């Protein structure tokens, strides 16, 4: 796997430049997989997944979202989405996808979103499903249900998700693998939520992802895979991710697969059964791309 980095203009006109990773396979790429990471983390955490994708022949693009990682530039900017706010983060998905297509014209593009990245991907797909050849939602949920539980005037508090679990570090909700949890806690670019302004923008923008009228705009031949752990606090025991899949089916999307892994928590790519999860995602991509 060959890793290169660059910066590209964001999807808004606010001057933000997105720090972008590209992981390339040996030989010609069969398709593009675009990764959208979650809240309070960064794209470099997906190198292991990218390795599996490149070994399967995919070229992988992943940006650090605005307010995250090397796009943020400093810890003081963590969680701040800037003047463009949540909508700009959603629009940035289009900027990354357009850049990937410019470098690899004529091959399919799949969008993989995890957690907050999957929320943004759900919103992006409402208007831009024609730009995608497949959609994978990991650690996702029925966004309108979850954001209704957030205080729109306060910073998003990730620690609240740990209430059902042991409190060794406060981040046990992420994975049953203690080494993965410890690596997250030790990473200075992880563990924060969106600031109050960005939280309000997200809370106001995401309810449309559950609107049947908006979902009707998603093209009916877009293959969609929804993967989650049954013990992920966002999954509602699996019911909320099943709801996501059913909403797409009700909107007329013909190829929707929902897989819930028993006992797995939020970061299924870093879970004890991560090899199974990765293999299932690769099988889906191989079938639809």
């Amino acid at each position: 796997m060959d890793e290169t980095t660059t910066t590209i203009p964001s999807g808004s006109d606010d001057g933000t430049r997105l720090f972008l990773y590209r992981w390339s396979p040996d030989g010609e790429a069969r398709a593009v997989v675009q990764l959208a990471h979650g809240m309070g983390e960064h794209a470099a955490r997906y190198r292991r997944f990218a390795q599996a994708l490149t070994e399967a022949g995919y070229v992988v693009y992943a940006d650090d979202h605005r307010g995250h990682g090397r796009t943020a530039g400093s810890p003081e900017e963590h969680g701040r989405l800037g003047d463009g706010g949540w909508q700009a983060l959603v629009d940035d998905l289009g900027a990354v996808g357009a850049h990937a297509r410019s470098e690899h014209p004529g091959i399919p593009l799949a969008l993989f979103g995890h957690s907050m990245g999957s929320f943004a991907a759900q919103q992006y797909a409402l208007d831009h499903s024609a730009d995608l050849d497949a959609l994978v939602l990991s650690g996702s949920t029925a966004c309108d249900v979850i954001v209704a539980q957030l205080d729109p005037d306060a910073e998003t508090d990730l620690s609240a998700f740990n209430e059902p679990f042991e409190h060794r570090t406060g981040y046990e909700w992420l994975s049953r693998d203690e080494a993965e949890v410890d690596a997250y806690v030790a990473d200075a670019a992880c563990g924060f939520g969106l600031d109050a302004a960005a939280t309000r923008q997200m809370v106001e923008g995401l309810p449309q992802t559950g609107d049947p009228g908006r979902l009707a705009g998603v093209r009916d031949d877009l293959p969609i895979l929804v993967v989650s752990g049954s013990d992920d606090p966002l999954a509602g025991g699996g019911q909320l991710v099943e709801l996501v899949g059913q909403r797409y089916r009700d909107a007329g999307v013909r190829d929707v697969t929902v897989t819930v892994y028993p006992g797995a928590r939020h970061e299924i790519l870093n879970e004890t059964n991560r090899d199974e999860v990765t293999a299932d995602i690769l099988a889906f991509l191989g079938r639809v791309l």
Side-chain angles (χ1 to χ4, degrees):
M1 179 177 73
D2 177 57
E3 178 180 308
T4 58
T5 62
T6 189
T7 63
I8 64 169
S10 72
S12 66
D13 58 0
D14 63 359
T16 300
R17 292 192 66 84
L18 305 173
F19 189 88
L20 183 67
Y21 294 86
R22 182 185 65 194
W23 292 293
S24 302
D26 297 330
E28 188 173 349
R30 61 191 291 191
V32 173
V33 178
Q34 177 184 343
L35 305 182
H37 67 75
M39 186 186 300
E41 59 158 349
H42 53 91
R45 298 187 70 234
Y46 291 75
R47 282 193 180 96
R48 180 171 58 207
F49 184 45
Q51 179 73 49
L53 289 168
T54 57
E55 288 176 357
Y58 300 104
V59 59
V60 183
Y61 287 78
D63 69 306
D64 284 343
H65 298 312
R66 55 183 59 234
H68 293 74
R70 295 170 73 174
T71 295
S74 68
E76 292 75 22
E77 295 301 315
H78 284 166
R80 300 178 181 176
L81 302 187
D83 293 340
W86 172 254
Q87 184 60 54
L89 187 150
V90 174
D91 293 341
D92 290 344
L93 298 182
V96 174
H99 178 80
R101 286 192 184 278
S102 73
E103 294 194 334
H104 297 277
I107 63 174
L109 185 149
L111 175 59
F112 173 99
H114 173 72
S115 194
M116 182 190 74
S118 78
F119 305 169
Q122 287 189 49
Q123 187 169 333
Y124 180 79
L126 296 176
D127 296 310
H128 302 284
S129 62
D131 295 330
L132 303 175
D133 296 288
L135 176 64
V136 181
L137 304 173
S138 162
S140 200
T141 191
C143 299
D144 54 322
V145 176
I146 289 295
V147 299
Q149 303 172 23
L150 299 179
D151 182 349
D153 296 313
E155 177 182 333
T156 308
D157 183 7
L158 297 179
S159 66
F161 292 127
N162 209 62
E163 289 184 5
F165 303 99
E166 65 273 25
H167 288 266
R168 185 178 63 87
T169 67
Y171 290 94
E172 280 61 49
W173 65 283
L174 294 177
S175 175
R176 294 167 293 183
D177 189 327
E178 291 189 356
E180 293 291 342
V181 173
D182 290 344
Y184 178 92
V185 172
D187 190 333
C190 289
F192 57 90
L194 298 185
D195 69 11
T199 298
R200 172 169 286 280
Q201 293 159 350
M202 182 177 69
V203 167
E204 291 174 348
L206 282 176
Q208 62 187 300
T209 61
D211 180 348
R214 298 285 281 120
L215 284 164
V218 178
R219 74 171 204 270
D220 61 10
D221 62 344
L222 177 67
I224 299 175
L225 172 66
V226 187
V227 286
S228 180
S230 67
D231 290 4
D232 181 348
L234 274 68
Q239 294 181 2
L240 292 182
V241 288
E242 293 286 358
L243 177 58
V244 172
Q246 191 57 50
R247 284 172 167 176
Y248 284 119
R249 296 186 191 105
D250 291 344
V253 182
R254 300 192 301 269
D255 187 349
V256 181
T257 303
V258 178
T259 303
V260 179
Y261 298 94
R265 301 180 186 178
H266 184 59
E267 290 193 344
I268 54 175
L269 292 178
N270 294 325
E271 257 291 1
T272 53
N273 65 322
R274 54 183 168 263
D275 291 344
E276 174 192 15
V277 174
T278 300
D280 288 347
I281 295 170
L282 288 173
F284 170 79
L285 295 175
R287 175 175 67 83
V288 302
L289 298 180

